[in-house]
Amino acid sequence: AAAAGGGGGGIESNTSTAASSIFGSAGRFGSRYLWIGPKGSMTGLHNDDEDNVLCQIKGTKIVKLFPPHTRPYLYPNDKYDSGTECCDYDAFTDWKNTERHREMFEQKFILARKAGAALRFKLQEGDMLFIPKFWYHQVLTASAYSISVNQFSSTTTEFISCGIQREILSMLHQLGLYGTKSCVCHGSKQKNTKAATALSM
């Protein structure tokens, strides 16, 4: 993962330029999302099956990343989210802060210690962060509000191996035929949800 500073210009232009410079002509398939949220908005720990560039437009975000080999220690769950594997572990909780949290950590998340310390990035206006596919990441808005854009990208081979299945399952999910009992978009009671608003561009 690598962070880079950016300059001015339109959101569409900057995001397209960033995506082209990182993915090149190989990134033929992808999608783009606009994220808007107030302070404390959080995207729970998860990974994505596509490479991703996160571009910070306004405000500040803190991103924590774990490499794919730490998966056994992050408590992945079976909650459905298109192209995503969600986790129960919260990398932003200070488990040593209170006695209750210490007890909870010992009882439920003891394996998380084996994941080691997360890579931590602070993104401010104009910054960009490349998040490789299958890297686990959790995102927190640290300013009064945040506006950011992310660009997913897949090569033709990656789209055939992962993207076609992802699109079929997404369609079935929207029809209520797959994954509606435990997902991030049908009133799930679990806390590991995407709190920021995602608007497809």
Side-chain angles (χ1 to χ4, degrees):
I11 293 175
E12 184 79 15
S13 175
N14 282 352
T15 307
S16 297
T17 299
S20 297
S21 64
I22 293 173
F23 301 126
S25 60
R28 297 180 180 277
F29 299 91
S31 55
R32 189 174 302 158
Y33 294 87
L34 171 67
W35 299 87
I36 304 174
K39 185 173 183 177
S41 296
M42 183 181 296
T43 300
L45 187 62
H46 69 286
N47 74 10
D48 298 296
D49 63 6
E50 294 182 280
D51 289 332
N52 177 16
V53 174
L54 177 61
C55 304
Q56 190 65 21
I57 308 302
K58 291 289 185 181
T60 302
K61 278 186 172 179
I62 307 298
V63 185
K64 291 190 175 183
L65 291 94
F66 294 91
H69 72 263
T70 62
R71 180 184 185 276
Y73 314 124
L74 301 179
Y75 296 83
N77 59 47
D78 60 357
K79 184 183 297 184
Y80 174 77
D81 189 8
S82 180
T84 295
E85 181 176 54
C86 300
C87 298
D88 288 330
Y89 181 63
D90 182 355
F92 280 96
T93 297
D94 183 359
W95 296 103
K96 297 180 180 180
N97 190 39
T98 65
E99 184 66 28
R100 182 178 67 84
H101 280 154
R102 282 197 297 271
E103 292 176 358
M104 185 184 298
F105 186 95
E106 293 293 336
Q107 294 173 7
K108 187 174 183 180
F109 296 119
I110 189 64
L111 292 178
R113 292 177 175 175
K114 296 184 178 181
L119 295 175
R120 184 182 184 277
F121 295 90
K122 182 178 182 179
L123 300 185
Q124 297 179 307
E125 183 175 338
D127 288 342
M128 296 179 289
L129 178 66
F130 172 61
I131 304 175
K133 62 181 179 180
F134 302 129
W135 275 64
Y136 292 89
H137 50 287
Q138 188 168 349
V139 186
L140 174 69
T141 296
S143 54
Y145 71 97
S146 169
I147 302 175
S148 55
V149 176
N150 81 295
Q151 170 78 44
F152 291 112
S153 185
S154 295
T155 64
T156 301
T157 300
E158 290 169 338
F159 182 77
I160 292 173
S161 63
C162 293
I164 293 177
Q165 178 179 341
R166 178 175 64 248
E167 295 301 322
I168 292 174
L169 292 180
S170 179
M171 180 180 64
L172 292 175
H173 181 73
Q174 293 178 32
L175 293 173
L177 301 176
Y178 180 84
T180 56
K181 292 184 178 180
S182 179
C183 64
V184 301
C185 56
H186 283 80
S188 173
K189 295 182 179 180
Q190 296 187 37
K191 294 183 179 180
N192 183 29
T193 60
K194 294 181 177 179
T197 301
L199 302 174
S200 182
M201 294 183 67

